[in-house]
Amino acid sequence: MLLYDIDVITPSSLDEALEILSSRKGRVKVVAGGTDLIIQMKDGIIPRMDLLNIYGLDELRYIKLDDNDVIRIGALTSFSEIAGSEIIRRYAKILAEAASTVGSIQIMNKASIGGNIVNASPAADSLPPLYALDAIVKVASSRGFREVPIESFYRGYKKLDLAEDELVCEVRLRAMSDDEDGVFLKHGLRLGDAIAVVNAAIWVKRDNRSGLFSDARVALGAVAPTVVRARRCEQLIINRRLDDDSMWSAARAVLESISPIDDVRGSAEYRREMSVNLVYMGLWELTHRSG
Amino acid sequence: MIFKFRSISKVLILRSGENLYVRCGNAVVRRFSFVLNGKPVEVEVPPAYTLLETLRNVLHLTGTKDGCSDGDCGACTVLLDGRAVHSCLTLMAQVEGRSVTTVEGLLRDSSPDEVQSAYAESGAVQCGYCTPGLIMATKALLMSNPRPSVEEIKEALRGNLCRCTGYAKILEAVLRVRR
């Protein structure tokens, strides 16, 4: 289906965008890069309605590291910019790794992190790293600003803690320090440009004296209605001596946190198996890196 | 000269039947200005018309190919402000005020540029449908990285599908033009 009968409103500032969202509550859909939304609208997956095109709002394109070791990423920042950013590569490397696997260069050049967050695909590649890094989503409306931890931003499959007049304007992370490490893992059906069958991000904090992980977060995507934290798995790697057996046990514990479905990219059973394998691979990688 | 949506309504009817004609009747048409291959242009099209539709149906620049219309194949790749994007996933409202380069824009005094020549000389074409997209993705790569490694070339072209060549000659073409 083509989009000839759809109007596109293009605001020239964030304030104007918020005014339009407020006055046309629920009757306008925000388009950022549009790399998924345009397909969904053409295919009739989402209702056809007029679009609020924020693609030109450069004030929402930035990556900043402030004095308190907080990284701020503007919602319209593209995955190319994130993957290539020195700040992200150094202080949030699992997000940089995820950003570079989001899709083809063409997709990475246009797709934005805010779009990925609001599109709320359970398979979105940026989300497991944002969960693992305990990101905060900053939401703007003409009523003011609001901050929501990433995990509570998602209430169910494609259900967001986001009112009709609100816009995601920024995502905030704490910069990783030298005693922290992490990996991003993605299993797709081809390397170039594929939606994840399963993806995962693991963040750990090393205790330099004991060599154990004093803290850990494990997040998986495409295996539940939203990205999930594998809390049982986390418990099994925090302050434990990790050998091959205990890593497999911890990896198998992710099964308690996931509820995958069968779809075109893989069966639920396959996803369960791949989730365990991916987390084991990640733990192996992290324990074999010099601490 | 302003290129108007109206002028192609017949083409649209031919392409998609009567339903589309009704849609055209409802269409909001707006004027967009942008720089195309170095020259300013204005078009009057529906704002949710894609850049690909505008290039092919309104401006009759058919070098840019419509492969999947879904952002999977890369055949429609153009440069938007110097970066490779899918023209099939770019709305005209997103193009306003920006600069677009298509494969036609690479010609210098009607002669192919070095990337186009390299593809021809290496025989990196077979049916040719993916070629303009690959050439634009190659162009974007070389603009940001004039001496890419083989791995970097494969990375940069991973979003462009070719079902004929097996990619060996495409890689050869890019290596030929690499500085």
Side-chain angles (χ1 to χ4, degrees):
Chain A
M1 213 171 349
L2 302 164
L3 305 176
Y4 302 156
D5 55 342
I6 284 172
D7 197 6
V8 184
I9 307 152
T10 303
S12 55
S13 69
L14 175 60
D15 287 342
E16 192 189 341
L18 296 176
E19 280 307 314
I20 296 166
L21 271 180
S22 164
S23 64
R24 297 187 45 150
K25 261 184 206 165
R27 286 177 290 119
V28 68
K29 178 95 182 155
V30 176
V31 58
T35 52
D36 209 3
L37 182 138
I38 293 169
I39 299 170
Q40 291 179 26
M41 203 170 263
K42 275 188 196 166
D43 292 350
I45 295 166
I46 55 170
R48 298 164 74 83
M49 64 172 89
D50 289 348
L51 296 171
L52 181 67
N53 164 37
I54 60 166
Y55 188 64
L57 298 185
D58 288 342
E59 63 192 288
L60 296 180
R61 284 197 173 86
Y62 54 85
I63 298 170
K64 293 177 194 160
L65 177 64
D66 72 17
D67 295 340
N68 305 318
D69 288 338
V70 172
I71 304 169
R72 296 172 187 281
I73 308 174
L76 277 180
T77 309
S78 73
F79 285 111
S80 292
E81 289 161 325
I82 290 169
S85 155
E86 284 304 317
I87 293 172
I88 303 295
R89 286 152 71 117
R90 172 126 193 240
Y91 297 110
K93 62 177 181 179
I94 46 181
L95 180 60
E97 287 166 20
S100 64
T101 68
V102 155
S104 60
I105 303 297
Q106 291 89 330
I107 296 286
M108 285 171 58
N109 280 341
K110 200 138 177 286
S112 65
I113 190 158
N116 209 222
I117 290 170
V118 174
N119 189 37
S121 163
D125 287 321
S126 73
L127 294 182
L130 293 180
Y131 273 64
L133 294 170
D134 248 352
I136 305 283
V137 178
K138 188 174 173 189
V139 170
S141 72
S142 52
R143 296 170 286 140
F145 293 97
R146 196 164 67 85
E147 295 185 336
V148 192
I150 187 93
E151 210 178 341
S152 49
F153 190 67
Y154 296 97
R155 292 169 165 173
Y157 176 70
K158 298 234 174 193
K159 286 203 176 64
L160 306 178
D161 178 8
L162 186 72
E164 286 174 336
D165 64 340
E166 288 180 322
L167 188 75
V168 169
C169 61
E170 183 182 277
V171 57
R172 201 175 73 204
L173 314 162
R174 205 179 39 78
M176 286 168 71
S177 55
D178 291 343
D179 58 352
E180 297 171 33
D181 201 353
V183 284
F184 172 75
L185 304 128
K186 173 172 177 171
H187 177 59
L189 296 181
R190 66 181 170 112
L191 272 180
D193 176 17
I195 296 171
V197 178
V198 182
N199 54 15
I202 306 176
W203 167 89
V204 292
K205 189 174 177 65
R206 279 201 180 88
D207 181 87
N208 285 334
R209 276 188 309 163
S210 65
L212 305 181
F213 298 146
S214 59
D215 199 1
R217 291 185 214 108
V218 177
L220 290 104
V223 287
T226 66
V227 170
V228 287
R229 282 272 296 277
R231 290 205 154 75
R232 180 70 192 134
C233 170
E234 292 170 3
Q235 287 166 4
L236 293 177
I237 57 181
I238 294 171
N239 291 325
R240 305 268 183 129
R241 187 77 47 200
L242 290 179
D243 57 20
D244 207 52
D245 284 344
S246 55
M247 281 195 286
W248 275 117
S249 302
R252 271 192 295 272
V254 303
L255 296 174
E256 293 176 28
S257 308
I258 65 175
S259 50
I261 55 167
D262 297 325
D263 74 6
V264 288
R265 282 179 285 279
S267 65
E269 190 46 46
Y270 180 57
R271 287 192 158 95
R272 275 191 283 271
E273 179 123 14
M274 285 312 302
S275 299
V276 173
N277 288 339
L278 273 192
V279 170
Y280 171 80
M281 284 160 65
L283 293 176
W284 192 94
E285 171 82 28
L286 290 169
T287 50
H288 284 72
R289 280 180 192 164
S290 57
Chain B
M1 181 179 173
I2 298 167
F3 297 91
K4 294 201 178 193
F5 177 65
R6 192 187 309 275
S7 65
I8 49 120
S9 56
K10 273 183 197 160
V11 178
L12 295 175
I13 294 162
L14 282 174
R15 276 182 43 169
S16 302
E18 279 180 19
N19 282 343
L20 188 60
Y21 181 73
V22 175
R23 282 189 201 293
C24 286
N26 296 340
V28 192
V29 176
R30 292 186 194 280
R31 185 176 296 192
F32 297 101
S33 311
F34 61 105
V35 174
L36 176 62
N37 296 331
K39 294 191 186 102
V41 291
E42 285 195 329
V43 291
E44 276 189 5
V45 292
Y49 214 42
T50 65
L51 175 58
L52 176 63
E53 291 168 309
T54 304
L55 290 171
R56 293 185 58 86
N57 300 345
V58 180
L59 298 161
H60 305 295
L61 289 177
T62 52
T64 306
K65 302 304 180 199
D66 186 357
C68 67
S69 310
D70 260 353
D72 280 325
C73 76
C76 70
T77 302
V78 300
L79 306 187
L80 183 64
D81 286 344
R83 313 197 101 179
V85 299
H86 294 119
S87 59
C88 74
L89 297 183
T90 301
L91 304 176
M92 283 313 293
Q94 299 180 314
V95 175
E96 168 70 28
R98 295 179 191 269
S99 164
V100 174
T101 308
T102 69
V103 71
E104 290 92 346
L106 300 186
L107 293 174
R108 291 284 164 268
D109 303 323
S110 311
S111 306
D113 91 327
E114 54 180 6
V115 178
Q116 292 170 309
S117 301
Y119 270 73
E121 285 158 19
S122 302
V125 293
Q126 204 159 321
C127 86
Y129 207 79
C130 69
T131 313
L134 272 159
I135 286 174
M136 297 316 288
T138 304
K139 198 74 194 169
L141 167 68
L142 295 174
M143 279 161 55
S144 64
N145 180 3
R147 208 179 151 67
S149 66
V150 169
E151 275 315 304
E152 286 169 331
I153 296 169
K154 289 181 178 175
E155 277 285 296
L157 302 185
R158 68 180 198 243
N160 291 76
L161 299 184
C162 170
R163 302 287 84 161
C164 307
T165 63
Y167 302 100
K169 303 240 171 188
I170 290 166
L171 187 60
E172 191 188 309
V174 185
L175 289 171
R176 185 187 283 255
V177 74
R178 170 177 87 162
R179 299 205 199 291

